[in-house]
């Protein structure tokens, strides 16, 4: 729906869907993900506006709809739904600080509320008596009668103790600006796809490395805080946490303008959370204001392990070009001489990567197997592909290919 001659068709289809009242969860999910993709990869300003109109209507569209199908991490975070997880202290603190009553303890799913005794007992003198002698204390009752809140509990609990409690937190998204439907990072201009999206065959890693340097700017304190909050929201709504997102170096947040409407915001970790040997960096990329994925990188002496992730909705959207630009940026800023992809990213104990053919995605960029045995298997598979272009590597072979990491030496 993004080719130049199909812009009118996309606009007409979106306008028709915007007026339609859907009730089935699978239809609502399909509408939401299609609109979100077109908001990130719009062929025109009109399509982007209608996509936003559809997405911003989901707080109302979800009323009376069965919420269960929307809890899957592949589609969670839609406006009008809720997410529930035992978020780490830093994420819980951030969400509670910014969303107030919309973020609360999910008592219905708190199977180990007895763990609160060690924390609440000393803080609530009357409850201490029950904690000392009663076998089954109603901690929810004590919590609510004392008019405590999640924010109060976070204020009175150190991060390590809080994480051990494994408290499930419910975030009622409603019409929240932090939902996947509404989350945006405003930028001064928007990129419109007047022609087809870039394919893998359109991308050359050599050309990207030879291109002019990517422009990088350091954010001021206020802008950095807004970016880091948006990253927490984008991650929490998808049930994801990352070490770097939990402990960011808020004083050194950078924006890299990758081109084609994509901004990568990246940073290291705060000084007290730095790893003993490796340098750690992470970041999230936004396409036309919309978060579309994240990267995690650990480096030592020019050698970098990289984890590249694109959210489900956007996996048909210029993935190869984005990956090449990120490699260029990391090489440019951190002096990387060798990139490494670990086995999990390739499909070891990861059926999603097997399904997507992740091994061949990286192999086509020139990544080489770390194992000679795997290299021989790759050669045999590539010979089959050369003889028969329609050949597809079976899953059994893909699993064998994924047992060793891949390296790209520059």
């Amino acid at each position: 729906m993004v080719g130049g001659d199909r812009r009118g068709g996309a606009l007409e289809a979106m306008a028709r869907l915007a007026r339609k009242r859907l009730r089935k969860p699978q239809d609502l999910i399909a509408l939401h993900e299609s609109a979100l993709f077109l908001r990130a990869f719009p062929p025109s300003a009109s399509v982007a506006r209608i996509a936003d109109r559809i997405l911003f209507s989901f707080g109302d569209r979800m009323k009376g709809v069965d919420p269960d199908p929307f809890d899957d991490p592949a589609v969670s975070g839609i406006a009008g739904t809720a997410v529930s997880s035992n978020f780490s202290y830093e994420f819980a603190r951030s969400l509670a600080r910014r969303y107030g009553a919309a973020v609360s303890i999910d008592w219905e799913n708190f199977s180990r509320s007895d763990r609160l005794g060690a924390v609440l007992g000393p803080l609530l003198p009357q409850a201490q008596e029950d904690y000392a002698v009663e076998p089954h204390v109603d901690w929810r009752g004590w919590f609510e009668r004392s008019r405590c809140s999640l924010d109060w509990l976070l204020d009175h609990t150190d991060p390590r103790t809080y994480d051990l409690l494994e408290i499930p937190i419910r975030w009622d998204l409603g019409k929240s600006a932090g939902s996947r439907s509404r989350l945006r990072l405003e930028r001064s201009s928007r990129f419109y796809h007047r022609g087809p999206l870039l394919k893998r065959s359109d991308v050359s890693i050599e050309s990207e490395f030879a291109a002019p340097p990517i422009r990088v700017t350091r954010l001021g304190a206020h802008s950095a805080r807004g970016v880091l909050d948006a990253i927490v929201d984008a991650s929490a709504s998808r049930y994801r946490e990352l070490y770097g997102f939990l402990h960011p170096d808020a004083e050194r947040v950078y924006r890299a303008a990758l081109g084609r409407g994509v901004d990568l915001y990246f940073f290291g970790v705060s000084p007290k959370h730095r790893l003993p040997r490796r340098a750690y960096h992470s970041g999230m990329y936004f396409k036309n204001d919309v978060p579309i994925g994240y990267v995690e990188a650990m480096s030592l002496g020019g050698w970098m392990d990289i984890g590249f992730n694109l959210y489900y909705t956007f996996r048909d959207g210029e993935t190869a070009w984005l990956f090449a630009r990120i490699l260029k940026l990391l090489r440019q800023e951190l002096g990387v001489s060798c990139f490494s992809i670990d086995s999990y990213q390739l499909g070891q104990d990861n059926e999603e990567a097997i399904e997507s053919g992740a091994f061949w995605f990286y192999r086509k960029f020139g990544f080489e197997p770390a194992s000679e045995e795997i290299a021989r298997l790759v050669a045999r598979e590539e010979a089959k592909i050369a003889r028969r272009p329609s050949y597809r590597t079976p899953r059994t072979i893909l699993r064998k290919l994924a047992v060793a990491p891949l390296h790209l030496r520059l």
Side-chain angles (χ1 to χ4, degrees):
M1 295 174 70
V2 291
D5 60 340
R6 288 178 285 179
R7 276 178 283 160
L11 183 61
E12 182 181 341
M14 293 288 286
R16 188 166 58 250
L17 287 169
R19 296 189 295 269
K20 198 165 184 177
R21 184 69 176 174
L22 303 174
R23 302 305 301 168
K24 294 181 179 179
Q26 60 266 34
D27 292 338
L28 285 164
I29 289 170
L31 174 62
H32 185 276
E33 302 314 295
S34 296
L36 192 59
F37 182 90
L38 284 171
R39 177 55 181 78
F41 293 83
S44 67
S46 300
V47 169
R49 283 196 296 271
I50 292 181
D52 263 342
R53 190 196 315 165
I54 291 172
L55 293 165
F56 277 61
S57 72
F58 263 80
D60 296 318
R61 286 178 182 267
M62 291 300 302
K63 292 177 180 176
V65 177
D66 178 11
D68 290 345
F70 298 86
D71 199 43
D72 189 300
V75 298
S76 63
I78 293 175
T81 67
V83 295
S84 177
S85 181
N86 56 323
F87 295 113
S88 296
Y89 178 90
E90 289 79 5
F91 269 33
R93 168 92 280 177
S94 177
L95 295 173
R97 171 175 56 84
R98 292 179 292 115
Y99 294 109
V103 181
S104 60
I105 295 177
D106 188 357
W107 293 103
E108 300 301 325
N109 291 307
F110 196 178
S111 60
R112 296 300 306 275
S113 59
D114 57 299
R115 293 183 180 181
L116 284 173
V119 175
L120 293 185
L123 296 174
L124 303 174
Q126 290 178 305
Q128 176 67 31
E129 179 177 318
D130 278 2
Y131 177 53
V133 298
E134 297 293 339
H136 304 292
V137 181
D138 179 14
W139 288 111
R140 178 178 183 176
W142 276 114
F143 198 84
E144 293 175 346
R145 285 193 298 274
S146 302
R147 297 184 180 180
C148 300
S149 64
L150 174 61
D151 213 36
W152 173 88
L153 181 62
L154 289 161
D155 282 342
H156 290 82
T157 312
D158 69 84
R160 289 186 179 182
T161 301
Y162 178 87
D163 289 344
L164 290 172
L165 294 174
E166 296 184 328
I167 301 173
I169 300 301
R170 178 183 169 86
W171 180 16
D172 187 349
L173 291 163
K175 298 182 180 181
S176 171
S179 68
R180 286 202 302 120
S181 314
R182 294 173 171 242
L183 182 56
R184 306 285 185 271
L185 265 188
E186 294 301 325
R187 71 194 313 269
S188 58
S189 62
R190 195 174 292 163
F191 182 87
Y192 298 108
H193 291 268
R194 310 296 187 185
L197 299 180
L198 295 177
K199 304 185 297 294
R200 172 64 190 87
S201 57
D202 299 323
V203 179
S204 163
I205 194 73
E206 293 82 6
S207 297
E208 290 298 337
F209 283 171
I214 294 170
R215 183 169 174 266
V216 176
T217 54
R218 182 172 171 177
L219 302 185
H222 179 73
S223 296
R225 186 69 266 160
V227 166
L228 295 176
D229 287 345
I231 287 174
V232 169
D233 293 350
S235 303
S237 65
R238 293 171 170 88
Y239 293 111
R240 301 190 184 204
E241 290 186 353
L242 208 65
Y243 186 76
F245 297 168
L246 292 170
H247 309 293
D249 185 350
E251 296 184 3
R252 294 173 179 80
V253 179
Y254 299 90
R255 171 183 174 266
L258 300 184
R260 300 182 70 81
V262 179
D263 297 308
L264 168 61
Y265 296 90
F266 68 100
F267 38 85
V269 292
S270 61
K272 71 176 182 178
H273 291 103
R274 286 176 186 163
L275 303 179
R277 293 188 306 114
R278 290 174 291 177
Y280 182 106
H281 294 83
S282 58
M284 185 170 286
Y285 11 101
F286 290 72
K287 170 82 171 181
N288 286 323
D289 314 334
V290 178
I292 64 171
Y294 59 94
V295 63
E296 180 181 44
M298 287 169 283
S299 56
L300 178 65
W303 188 288
M304 175 175 283
D305 292 310
I306 180 172
F308 171 71
N309 297 272
L310 209 62
Y311 294 135
Y312 301 104
T313 309
F314 310 104
R315 291 186 178 178
D316 290 328
E318 302 193 327
T319 309
W321 173 84
L322 177 58
F323 182 61
R325 293 294 283 172
I326 290 172
L327 292 187
K328 175 182 173 59
L329 175 72
L330 294 172
R331 185 188 188 198
Q332 168 188 311
E333 296 298 307
L334 301 174
V336 179
S337 58
C338 180
F339 289 102
S340 179
I341 307 293
D342 69 27
S343 299
Y344 178 81
Q345 293 265 319
L346 303 175
Q348 189 174 44
D349 301 321
N350 182 358
E351 284 303 305
E352 184 185 326
I354 296 294
E355 178 72 26
S356 66
F359 178 90
W360 290 115
F361 173 81
Y362 296 111
R363 173 62 180 158
K364 289 175 181 177
F365 275 103
F367 281 79
E368 299 279 353
S371 161
E372 291 185 6
E373 180 181 351
I374 299 301
R376 288 191 291 271
L377 179 56
V378 170
R380 290 196 294 271
E381 286 297 298
E382 290 178 333
K384 293 176 185 177
I385 294 169
R387 290 194 303 269
R388 186 157 45 102
S390 62
Y391 173 80
R392 293 294 180 267
T393 303
R395 291 190 179 197
T396 53
I397 302 297
L398 287 173
R399 292 189 184 97
K400 292 179 180 179
L401 294 173
V403 301
L406 291 175
H407 301 321
L408 178 66
R409 292 181 172 83
L410 307 179

